[in-house]
Amino acid sequence: MGTGTKSYNGAISVGLDGTTTHQTMLEWAKARGLKTGDITTAEVQDATPAVQLAHVADRGCYMPGTDKTKTVTVDGKAQFKGMVNCPKQSLSIEEQIVKTRADVVMGGGRGWFNATQADGKTVYDAAKAAGYQIPETKADLDKITSANQTKPVLGLFASGNFQTRFKATPATADGYSKKAARCQTNDVAPDGSATTWPGTQPTLAEMTKKSIDLLDNSKGFFLQVEGASIDKQDHAANPCGQIGETKDLDEAVKVGMDFAKKHGDTLVIVTADHAHTSQIINAEDINPASPSTIPLAGTYNLLTADDTVETVAYGTAQLGGSQQHTGTQLRVAGYGPGAANVVGLSDQTDLFATVERTLSGVGVDKAPPVAGKPQVCTRAPQVLRDLQAKLAKAKKKHNKSKIATLKGQIAGVKSLAKLC
């Protein structure tokens, strides 16, 4: 989805040879003068955010260097994710994030930025020197009022991944037979410290709202938003972890939808990069004494808001291992101009073209009706006055090319105003 091309598992926006770079959607939008953003609840170096900002042979090439003794501290542990598997790339994912210079990048991964570059600076210090605003708490983020190429935003709100919304509820071999429990607000941070969610972190919805506020402009913008730990907590066979992260994503989607409904000219696409193992089953079908019982690694009984019991099961890895992705087809939901292109069956690479065409304004369907007048209607009179004033100045200077350009812009605004 990130580049509109297919590659191998673990590749970050490179071809099958591991070296050929493919332009990402964010890079495409940035090259056309649009503002850009990329936010996540994972480390910003993780695969989904990284594919918009970097090009490396292996998703694990977070930090500069190949010396495994030169670790950094992430979530209280000495860790190393260097360039060992990316010998043909000179810059790590996080160095490329700084170099790509999206207007807004937010997530976790602060600990990895303490790695030292070839020039002796840490990546964090290099980002500071490059003019980045680097908020590390929600309070810091709230103080930021603009994001642009002079002062882009690199929000790093966690040492590693964000704290999950709900406490861990690991599946067990006999979980189906135990008393059902409700999900509870998390009070333990990833480093083991006592922190009640969300602590000093902004929520995904808050990051989405702030990103839209910072990116919104007359030319348009591209923003990727990831609810990362839906996947990560499924790997861990942690149903409440998954559910809390799904709730986070749902709230973030609402922020995007509210904006799209108000403005009428914004495409929102919601999908996933793959399916996963967890499924709801009937616990009565489990009989450990029967050779025909359902083969499962672990289960957990959840008590829903309706006071019913829901048994969640995992079966693509043994407990203690990492539950694996599945090949199930995914839902792709769209709203706004271009949304008609996501109906039916789509190849995952098709979404790149759908977004590209929409941002280009090529062959898109009409915007959906909005509540009240869309922004283009309320702003049209002032925009016309501004353009007409510029036209008058251009005529005084006999600037023929400027006059022609302004007349075209005025005609375009008038055409849009007629739709109001």
Side-chain angles (χ1 to χ4, degrees):
M1 292 185 287
T3 67
T5 58
K6 295 183 186 292
S7 192
Y8 58 89
N9 188 31
I12 300 296
S13 301
V14 293
L16 293 172
D17 59 3
T19 58
T20 302
T21 61
H22 292 296
Q23 187 180 48
T24 73
M25 176 52 63
L26 187 147
E27 290 171 331
W28 178 90
K30 187 173 184 288
R32 281 152 181 78
L34 304 180
K35 296 189 79 171
T36 58
D38 189 4
I39 65 176
T40 181
T41 54
E43 297 157 333
V44 295
Q45 303 89 340
D46 201 18
T48 299
V51 294
Q52 295 294 349
L53 301 163
H55 304 269
V56 292
D58 185 88
R59 62 178 290 175
C61 296
Y62 275 29
M63 56 186 270
T66 56
D67 185 348
K68 294 182 180 180
T69 66
K70 294 183 178 180
T71 60
V72 292
T73 301
V74 180
D75 288 333
K77 300 175 183 177
Q79 300 193 50
F80 176 83
K81 285 190 177 182
M83 297 291 287
V84 175
N85 294 326
C86 300
K88 295 182 179 180
Q89 280 90 35
S90 59
L91 296 178
S92 64
I93 290 172
E94 60 189 16
E95 290 172 290
Q96 291 186 51
I97 289 172
V98 175
K99 184 179 179 181
T100 299
R101 210 171 180 85
D103 297 288
V104 175
V105 176
M106 297 188 204
R110 169 66 179 88
W112 299 105
F113 276 85
N114 290 328
T116 303
Q117 299 180 154
D119 62 4
K121 290 181 180 179
T122 65
V123 184
Y124 181 88
D125 288 340
K128 276 283 190 184
Y132 278 87
Q133 304 173 80
I134 310 182
E136 297 188 32
T137 65
K138 181 182 181 298
D140 293 341
L141 181 62
D142 289 342
K143 295 173 186 175
I144 292 176
T145 58
S146 64
N148 50 50
Q149 288 301 287
T150 302
K151 296 182 70 176
V153 171
L154 176 59
L156 300 172
F157 304 110
S159 177
N161 297 315
F162 274 33
Q163 180 187 25
T164 58
R165 185 179 197 131
F166 290 146
K167 284 183 181 180
T169 53
T172 61
D174 60 349
Y176 67 91
S177 64
K178 294 184 177 180
K179 184 179 180 180
R182 297 188 192 279
C183 295
Q184 302 292 325
T185 300
N186 200 353
D187 57 8
V188 179
D191 64 2
S193 63
T195 304
T196 300
W197 181 89
T200 62
Q201 297 171 179
T203 65
L204 186 60
E206 289 168 342
M207 288 196 294
T208 303
K209 174 66 166 63
K210 187 69 173 185
S211 296
I212 291 174
D213 290 344
L214 294 172
L215 296 174
D216 186 23
N217 70 98
S218 59
K219 288 186 178 180
F221 64 90
F222 168 80
L223 174 63
Q224 177 175 281
V225 178
E226 182 195 24
S229 284
I230 301 171
D231 164 74
K232 296 182 188 303
Q233 298 310 311
D234 203 323
H235 280 300
N238 175 14
C240 279
Q242 290 176 253
I243 291 168
E245 298 306 289
T246 303
K247 183 174 175 63
D248 285 353
L249 179 63
D250 185 58
E251 291 170 352
V253 170
K254 183 179 185 301
V255 171
M257 288 293 293
D258 287 346
F259 178 87
K261 289 176 180 178
K262 178 180 178 181
H263 290 75
D265 58 359
T266 303
L267 171 63
V268 178
I269 292 178
V270 183
T271 189
D273 47 3
H274 54 75
H276 226 309
T277 180
S278 55
Q279 53 190 325
I280 299 167
I281 66 166
N282 181 7
E284 294 179 359
D285 292 336
I286 302 175
N287 178 6
S290 170
S292 62
T293 195
I294 300 173
L296 299 168
T299 52
Y300 191 90
N301 282 340
L302 292 171
L303 189 61
T304 71
D306 302 316
D307 292 322
T308 59
V309 177
E310 191 172 87
T311 303
V312 182
Y314 301 83
T316 55
Q318 294 301 310
L319 289 179
S322 178
Q323 300 297 319
Q324 295 301 299
H325 306 160
T326 67
T328 305
Q329 289 181 354
L330 302 171
R331 169 78 188 280
V332 183
Y335 176 90
N341 292 311
V342 302
V343 299
L345 189 64
S346 297
D347 193 294
Q348 75 267 43
T349 56
D350 291 343
L351 289 179
F352 182 96
T354 295
V355 175
E356 183 182 58
R357 287 196 300 268
T358 303
L359 288 174
S360 301
V362 177
V364 298
D365 51 318
K366 287 185 178 181
V370 297
K373 287 188 175 182
Q375 194 177 57
V376 68
C377 296
T378 57
R379 291 178 58 189
Q382 183 59 51
V383 172
L384 273 175
R385 286 193 291 271
D386 292 343
L387 289 173
Q388 286 164 347
K390 290 179 181 179
L391 178 60
K393 289 181 180 180
K395 286 180 176 178
K396 286 181 180 180
K397 295 181 179 180
H398 304 287
N399 189 333
K400 291 183 179 180
S401 62
K402 189 71 171 177
I403 290 170
T405 299
L406 288 167
K407 282 184 176 180
Q409 291 175 343
I410 289 170
V413 173
K414 285 182 177 179
S415 296
L416 285 172
K418 288 179 181 178
L419 300 175
C420 299

